[in-house]
Amino acid sequence: IGAGGHGLATAYYMAKEHGMRNIAVVERGWLGGGNTARNTTIVRSNYMMPENAPFYEHSMDLWRGMSHELNYNVMFSPRGVMMLAQTHHEVRGYLRTQHANALQGVATEFISRERVKELCPILNIDGPRYPVLGALWQARGGTGRHDAVAWGYARAADALGVDIVQNCEVTGFRIENGRILGVETSRGYIAATKVGVAVAGSSSRVMA
């Protein structure tokens, strides 16, 4: 359930890596039109928590080869990512992130305001409201087009036999004796012995 980046990627890798073909991705709107459409374009691996690091590091590897693998330009540009610190509280927070990442071998550095200006001359580091005190800098981060990611995974999954059904809202689950039998949708019943839910901010509503 959910034809965003996560739902479509899940279907694609299930088909590609595990040879599964009997997969339907159902979406109440259009593919990539939910949380994926609202995401920023930032690609980075600097989220500090030890449990997160392996996932983000693996995702960085996927990004680097994604356009080639999907045969679709996802417009990944590893131009670096700067998160500006404009208060002393932010400076402390970003230094903490830098140190936590260093312990996990994740390359991130806190740079001076002078270095910020050097990397991005267009910035006014003295204002107009708050001065730039420094920044958390990840040189290997960058940007990507999330709608292109959705389309790339959709095309690649479709080519492997995955069915993608748009304008098909899930309205209920059919469960007997604790086992899932399928989903009720606005376009009819779909039998399924396994159901995955990848609907981001709509998770609580769908699961309710």
Side-chain angles (χ1 to χ4, degrees):
I1 304 171
H6 287 106
L8 293 166
T10 300
Y12 168 72
Y13 289 116
M14 285 166 58
K16 176 178 178 284
E17 303 294 342
H18 303 286
M20 301 171 68
R21 297 292 187 267
N22 191 20
I23 302 170
V25 180
V26 293
E27 166 61 49
R28 68 173 174 171
W30 60 93
L31 63 86
N35 193 64
T36 297
R38 294 187 292 273
N39 280 341
T40 67
T41 63
I42 296 172
V43 177
R44 56 188 171 135
S45 173
N46 60 1
Y47 287 86
M48 191 171 69
M49 301 301 292
E51 296 82 4
N52 289 346
F55 291 100
Y56 286 107
E57 287 294 285
H58 182 58
S59 77
M60 294 294 288
D61 290 336
L62 292 177
W63 272 105
R64 279 189 283 272
M66 191 177 295
S67 291
H68 177 74
E69 173 162 343
L70 300 180
N71 191 29
Y72 195 87
N73 185 9
V74 299
M75 298 177 226
F76 175 54
S77 174
R79 63 185 66 188
V81 171
M82 265 194 302
M83 299 175 65
L84 299 181
Q86 295 177 284
T87 67
H88 293 292
H89 173 74
E90 288 177 322
V91 171
R92 287 193 297 270
Y94 288 154
L95 285 170
R96 179 171 176 250
T97 299
Q98 174 196 338
H99 297 319
N101 285 350
L103 290 172
Q104 300 166 65
V106 177
T108 314
E109 60 178 317
F110 187 82
I111 59 176
S112 68
R113 65 197 306 268
E114 291 76 21
R115 178 64 172 149
V116 169
K117 185 69 172 178
E118 181 183 330
L119 288 167
C120 189
I122 197 174
L123 280 177
N124 177 2
I125 62 173
D126 296 315
R129 289 190 65 190
Y130 299 104
V132 174
L133 305 177
L136 189 67
W137 166 244
Q138 189 166 56
R140 65 197 181 99
T143 59
R145 282 286 298 271
H146 289 83
D147 55 342
V149 169
W151 279 100
Y153 274 125
R155 280 172 23 118
D158 177 75
L160 291 174
V162 173
D163 292 303
I164 301 171
V165 189
Q166 301 177 82
N167 299 306
C168 182
E169 182 175 9
V170 170
T171 58
F173 296 99
R174 191 176 295 184
I175 300 171
E176 288 183 9
N177 299 320
R179 293 178 63 86
I180 186 76
L181 300 180
V183 293
E184 305 285 355
T185 81
S186 57
R187 299 179 64 176
Y189 174 68
I190 301 174
T193 56
K194 293 182 176 64
V195 177
V197 180
V199 294
S202 297
S203 294
S204 58
R205 184 181 63 80
V206 172
M207 296 313 297

